[in-house]
Amino acid sequence: MVPVITIDGPSGVGKGSIAQMLARQLGWHLLDSGALYRLTALSALRQGLDLADADAVATAARDLPVTFTAGEPGEPVAVLLSGEDVTREIRTEACGKAASTVAVYPLVRQALLQRQRDFQRLPGLVADGRDMGTVIFPEALCKVYMTASAEVRAQRRYDQLKRQGESVKISHLLKEIQDRDARDMGRVEAPLRPAEDAVIIDTSSLTLDEVLAAVLKVWSEKQA
Ligand code: DC
């Protein structure tokens, strides 16, 4: 049995950072499932496909020519699409938005299902996404659902972009986050919601280190 810790929650809640820190600390593999949806959208756009064409996008998902370069456990890996390094490109707001659009299609989700399960390898897996605990790894022993208000998430994103020298309006970021939440939570297939057996952690007033400690506490309690 390969242990799995699932970390689900809305955009901008800090799941990616926590999943990475956790995988590093435990020496486990890491699945960034959002990257697969981002790559699907990017691959479809590069092929000139219409993102509204679910069948065509699902084919792009099935045939995704992606390589994750092997890094140390929990280290960020480079992502190659047809051999080209797209690590940065898939992180843009535009790609995130396109990912959320194609993630609505059941055929796309099916096409990516086994690819995600294949990440479950010894000594263990930290899986970050929206439906890790509900659909992809329903048997996982430890499920965490991270939350924070849309306002808090918009502020964090604003601070992050500002540090990177980008100037954006916070009202714009808030609107984007609210739209993304509505799409991710409102879709019919695998909507964003906590698994029944998930532990909910409200991160609004917590630092990353405090969230990490809270997740590690959940994990040690589950093992007891
Ligand atoms: O976590 P992220 O921002 O990289 O994800 C981008 C989009 O992909 C997100 O808005 C919804 C979709 N997604 C999903 O539907 N299911 C997942 N397990 C992960 C991401």
Side-chain angles (χ1 to χ4, degrees):
M1 260 289 282
V2 180
V4 179
I5 299 178
T6 61
I7 314 266
D8 288 303
S11 298
V13 77
K15 299 183 304 286
S17 307
I18 290 298
Q20 200 171 303
M21 289 159 81
L22 192 60
R24 188 180 304 146
Q25 180 136 345
L26 297 171
W28 287 9
H29 299 282
L30 176 65
L31 165 61
D32 171 4
S33 60
L36 292 173
Y37 289 93
R38 288 170 183 265
L39 284 158
T40 297
L42 184 63
S43 176
L45 289 170
R46 289 207 170 162
Q47 290 173 57
L49 301 177
D50 179 357
L51 289 191
D53 184 345
D55 285 337
V57 178
T59 302
R62 215 169 295 121
D63 301 339
L64 210 54
V66 63
T67 316
F68 293 94
T69 61
E72 292 298 306
E75 291 300 318
V77 289
V79 186
L80 309 182
L81 188 63
S82 298
E84 185 198 338
D85 189 340
V86 293
T87 316
R88 273 166 170 269
E89 192 166 352
I90 59 165
R91 293 292 144 214
T92 61
E93 291 295 316
C95 205
K97 199 168 163 184
S100 166
T101 303
V102 302
V104 167
Y105 305 138
L107 282 176
V108 168
R109 306 199 71 85
Q110 271 165 31
L112 294 176
L113 188 108
Q114 193 55 44
R115 203 187 274 265
Q116 294 175 82
R117 291 196 175 145
D118 289 343
F119 277 78
Q120 187 176 359
R121 278 174 283 135
L122 285 169
L125 176 70
V126 178
D128 152 15
R130 305 292 189 293
D131 60 346
M132 298 295 99
T134 50
V135 177
I136 308 296
F137 302 108
E139 309 295 330
L141 180 61
C142 179
K143 301 179 184 178
V144 168
Y145 188 90
M146 288 171 56
T147 63
S149 69
E151 286 75 14
V152 166
R153 288 180 281 137
Q155 183 69 49
R156 286 180 185 163
R157 181 85 182 123
Y158 176 79
D159 294 341
Q160 183 189 27
L161 289 171
K162 214 168 146 191
R163 278 196 300 276
Q164 292 167 10
E166 290 183 49
S167 76
V168 276
K169 278 209 173 120
I170 194 157
S171 56
H172 174 76
L173 291 174
L174 180 61
K175 170 87 172 53
E176 291 262 301
I177 281 182
Q178 287 167 333
D179 287 353
R180 186 98 72 91
D181 281 357
R183 242 190 335 262
D184 293 348
M185 292 176 185
R187 68 180 175 228
V188 176
E189 184 90 356
L192 171 63
R193 61 173 176 80
E196 271 173 25
D197 49 348
V199 174
I200 297 178
I201 300 179
D202 186 342
T203 71
S204 299
S205 58
L206 301 180
T207 64
L208 278 178
D209 284 337
E210 288 169 335
V211 178
L212 180 65
V215 177
L216 284 166
K217 185 159 172 275
V218 175
W219 168 234
S220 69
E221 284 167 3
K222 291 282 178 188
Q223 291 177 97

